[in-house]
């Protein structure tokens, strides 16, 4: 049985003070939650304060990116060791905003995943096609290539989570239909089986991201191969994030 994961990607929102306020309001909602694993991925500057507030709870902390080197003259970058010492468990890798605006490539994704795994952190690998690619019916080909390159020369992907996030659904208010999402999740699971083996394919959590809201989460989460969600905008408010978590049941 795969335990569903609902992770909030806060992007470049919330100061440390706002993070503290969010968690004060959010923690009472989820103190008895056993349904889903919950994670929040705030900006780097909020990791410390968030860790202080959640360290005695079951909520996990994640970062939104990492650099693939251990340390060095890499102004502006953060290492796995820094994230681990800040209390992180997860690291989002290859988010489409990183790919679109900050020169993330399948090669840098591969380097980051290797480093994250060797540092005992858990990658949340984001993949997904653009609208143009979907209109040309290339979604499977694109996602296949992204996953094959991300895992190139990696034999053991550990607890890695894959987030299927169609780019056209991120922040647009237009979500994939449950059928479209299920088709892609099923495709990804089969691909994992062919790249690794059946055991890995059955174990790996494949979560959906792209305009998840309290109104659409239940139907999307009810699909067989969808193991939770990566939530952007709707994770910024305690009540909407909590409603999405409740939709996992
Ligand atoms: C995301 O940033 O990963 C995301 C899915 O954003 P949103 O939920 O706002 O579409």
């Amino acid at each position: 049985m795969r335990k569903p994961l609902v992770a909030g990607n806060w992007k470049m929102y919330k100061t440390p003070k706002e993070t503290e306020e969010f968690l004060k309001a959010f923690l009472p909602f989820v103190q008895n939650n056993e349904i889903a694993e919950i994670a929040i991925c705030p900006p780097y500057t909020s990791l410390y304060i968030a860790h202080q507030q959640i360290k005695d709870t079951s909520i996990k902390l994640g970062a939104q990116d990492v650099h693939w080197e251990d340390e060095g003259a890499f102004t502006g970058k953060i290492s796995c060791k820094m994230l681990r010492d800040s209390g992180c468990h997860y690291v989002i890798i290859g988010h489409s905003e990183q790919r679109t605006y900050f020169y993330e490539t399948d090669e840098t994704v591969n380097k980051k995943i290797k480093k994250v795994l060797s540092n005992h952190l858990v990658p949340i690998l984001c993949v997904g096609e653009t609208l143009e690619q979907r209109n040309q019916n290339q979604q499977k080909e694109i996602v296949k290539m992204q996953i094959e390159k991300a895992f190139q020369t990696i034999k053991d992907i550990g607890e890695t989570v894959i987030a299927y996030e169609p780019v056209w659904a991120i922040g647009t208010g237009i979500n994939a239909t449950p059928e479209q999402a299920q088709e892609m999740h099923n495709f990804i699971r089969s691909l994992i089986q062919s790249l690794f083996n059946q055991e890995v394919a059955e174990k790996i959590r494949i979560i959906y991201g792209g305009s998840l809201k309290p109104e659409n989460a239940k139907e999307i989460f009810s699909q067989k191969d969808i193991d939770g969600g990566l939530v952007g905008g709707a994770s910024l408010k305690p009540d909407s994030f909590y409603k999405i978590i409740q939709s996992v049941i």
Side-chain angles (χ1 to χ4, degrees), residues 9 11 95 97 165 169-172 209-212 230-234:
N9 172 17
K11 312 191 188 208
H95 190 279
E97 286 150 17
E165 299 207 302
I170 297 180
T172 59
S211 297
L212 273 169
L230 183 56
V231 191

Side-chain angles (χ1 to χ4, degrees), residues 9-113:
N9 172 17
W10 287 3
K11 312 191 188 208
M12 200 171 75
Y13 291 100
K14 295 198 192 294
T15 63
K17 190 163 185 339
E18 288 163 346
T19 299
E20 200 177 357
E21 284 163 6
F22 173 96
L23 286 168
K24 263 192 203 144
F26 180 67
L27 290 179
F29 286 146
V30 292
Q31 59 187 356
N32 296 320
N33 159 70
E34 280 172 15
I35 317 152
E37 194 184 316
I38 302 168
I40 54 163
C41 305
Y44 296 132
T45 45
S46 285
L47 290 176
Y48 178 79
I49 189 98
H51 178 56
Q52 295 309 308
Q53 282 172 281
I54 65 177
K55 64 182 179 209
D56 297 324
T57 75
S58 59
I59 299 179
K60 302 243 168 71
L61 190 63
Q64 298 174 19
D65 189 28
V66 71
H67 191 55
W68 59 83
E69 294 289 350
D70 289 327
E71 60 182 3
F74 301 107
T75 303
K77 298 299 170 205
I78 298 281
S79 74
C80 285
K81 187 161 176 251
M82 292 167 189
L83 296 183
R84 244 197 9 246
D85 285 3
S86 305
C88 286
H89 177 83
Y90 288 110
V91 189
I92 297 173
I93 306 285
H95 190 279
S96 73
E97 286 150 17
Q98 284 286 335
R99 293 179 192 258
T100 307
Y101 307 128
F102 303 113
Y103 311 105
E104 186 87 278
T105 63
D106 290 325
E107 287 69 35
T108 58
V109 165
N110 177 248
K111 287 190 204 180
K112 289 176 183 181
I113 292 191

